[in-house]
Amino acid sequence: MKDLKHCRVLVTPTSFGKHDPRLRAELEAAVGEVIYNPTDQPLSSDEVRALLPGCHGYIAGLDVIDRAALEAADALKVIARYGVGVDRIDLEAARARGIVVTNTPSANAASVAELTIGLMIALARSIPTADAATKAGQWPRFTGVALEGKMVGLIGFGSIGQQTAQRLQGFDCRILTYDPAVAPEVARTHQVEWAPLEEVVAQADFLSLHLPLTPATRGMVNADFLARMKPGAFLINTARGELIDDDALVEALTSGRLRGAALDVFSREPPDPRHPLLKLPNVIVTPHAGAHTDAAMNAMGWGALRDCLAVLRGETPQHRVV
Ligand code: NAD
């Protein structure tokens, strides 16, 4: 096996190896030097740029890896994304520099699906508000919304959409999906009905986003989209914050058009604490935690490590994006 002792690898996900120390041990034994994220957050373009010189491999969290950052990549062979979304990487710039980009599809799908369902139920039953009120000595009588008999709409029916549908089967709800790359008969094998986007948007009591951020999907949940949603519906976003026009969402939530929203992701992370969405009582937020479970961290960690080392050894990685 090719000796990688001349290689330096940058690792930025702070959870890398948290649940399985063998991940860090295996990487450190394989290569000459490992640099870990000096902060406790995903890195900005400037921070990536400062750390990249001399690095051959890069196991990447949710850092901004734009063209300016990649200009400092003087030895880089591979960016192994610890996760699935590659929207924060300038893929064209990576391709132009001959840098292979890999990701870990499906590794976190079950965990994101579990959070999605947790958020649906938390919204439907006002769990955070009920918890805070009960702890404050009150005994409020909330009327919740049952999932039973309702329509759940999934926009995007890839790994996470499918895992969410599979887990919803026990809730006796109907499930509609829109995904341009999925045929209606494929959806049917998952006990899910395929429908055009307008229908899913108009019919869902719970509408959940499971599509990637691309130039075509950026801002797609705008005022027009929200106005076409069923009055009193809930919106759940565990995909990417930039899919939503925040001002339009604030308006839809304050006007009562939407009953509530649950957001795991934001256009700017962390969001400004004064962000109006954080002030609304009918909004539940989590800190981009969809993939933060023991199982997902291990699966993403081993997947990213395997493909990072494969490229450094001149072998074919399992999940190449570019
Ligand atoms: P995936 O690639 O398996 O599935 C995405 C699906 O979206 C594909 O089937 C694709 O055809 C579909 N799609 C693309 N454009 C669409 C459009 N305009 N309308 C409807 N569907 C469209 O990805 P996945 O693993 O299911 O992840 C989905 C997204 O979730 C990722 O791109 C990522 O941004 C996000 N994500 C978030 C977290 C988190 O921690 N909250 C973790 C993992 C992934």
Side-chain angles (χ1 to χ4, degrees):
M1 198 173 282
K2 196 175 167 198
D3 180 21
L4 302 179
K5 285 297 176 194
H6 66 288
C7 289
R8 179 193 287 174
V9 174
L10 171 64
V11 177
T12 61
T14 49
S15 62
F16 181 81
K18 213 172 184 177
H19 285 276
D20 189 347
R22 290 174 307 162
L23 270 165
R24 288 187 181 218
E26 195 157 308
L27 174 62
E28 287 164 16
V31 302
E33 187 186 356
V34 181
I35 302 175
Y36 292 103
N37 186 341
T39 79
D40 62 355
Q41 297 291 330
L43 301 179
S44 66
S45 166
D46 285 347
E47 289 169 327
V48 173
R49 193 181 162 90
L51 289 169
L52 271 188
C55 287
H56 303 82
Y58 178 5
I59 294 178
L62 288 161
D63 318 315
V64 179
I65 312 173
D66 59 10
R67 188 170 292 270
L70 288 175
E71 275 166 11
D74 53 3
L76 196 63
K77 299 263 178 296
V78 55
I79 300 170
R81 255 292 281 140
Y82 175 87
V84 63
V86 287
D87 46 280
R88 294 186 191 175
I89 305 175
D90 187 328
L91 296 177
E92 277 318 307
R95 197 194 313 271
R97 302 185 82 89
I99 299 165
V100 172
V101 178
T102 65
N103 70 350
T104 58
S106 302
N108 54 28
S111 291
V112 181
E114 288 178 7
L115 180 70
T116 301
I117 292 170
L119 291 173
M120 282 179 191
I121 296 174
L123 276 175
R125 305 301 291 272
S126 307
I127 291 174
T129 315
D131 172 72
T134 309
K135 285 178 180 164
Q138 300 160 26
W139 197 246
R141 308 281 80 202
F142 290 115
T143 304
V145 175
L147 264 165
E148 182 189 12
K150 297 299 187 310
M151 183 69 87
V152 176
L154 305 173
I155 302 186
F157 202 61
S159 304
I160 298 171
Q162 291 179 18
Q163 293 280 337
T164 304
Q166 184 187 322
R167 281 159 179 75
L168 281 170
Q169 298 300 338
F171 286 91
D172 295 330
C173 45
R174 282 182 62 202
I175 310 171
L176 271 185
T177 190
Y178 168 72
D179 187 318
V182 171
E185 41 292 6
V186 171
R188 230 171 283 131
T189 63
H190 294 266
Q191 283 82 50
V192 170
E193 268 173 74
W194 190 100
L197 180 63
E198 311 78 67
E199 257 179 61
V200 179
V201 172
Q203 290 191 34
D205 299 290
F206 294 82
L207 188 63
S208 193
L209 307 181
H210 301 292
L211 67 169
L213 174 66
T214 65
T217 62
R218 182 179 290 272
M220 88 180 232
V221 182
N222 55 19
D224 177 52
F225 180 108
L226 293 163
R228 287 185 283 118
M229 281 178 69
K230 189 168 174 178
F234 295 104
L235 179 71
I236 298 97
N237 186 12
T238 58
R240 283 291 182 268
E242 296 93 326
L243 295 169
I244 297 181
D245 173 340
D246 287 353
D247 294 340
L249 180 59
V250 169
E251 164 58 27
L253 288 162
T254 44
S255 69
R257 169 83 199 178
L258 292 194
R259 183 164 172 147
L263 310 170
D264 184 46
V265 286
F266 300 86
S267 315
R268 204 187 100 188
E269 295 182 349
D272 185 325
R274 292 162 304 178
H275 195 300
L277 281 170
L278 304 189
K279 306 289 177 208
L280 296 177
N282 51 349
V283 172
I284 295 174
V285 293
T286 48
H288 202 142
H292 283 202
T293 67
D294 49 355
M297 284 173 184
N298 285 349
M300 294 187 297
W302 286 111
L305 176 62
R306 181 199 56 230
D307 274 356
C308 179
L309 295 182
V311 176
L312 294 178
R313 289 187 177 119
E315 298 161 6
T316 307
Q318 202 165 330
H319 295 295
R320 182 169 181 165
V321 179
V322 158

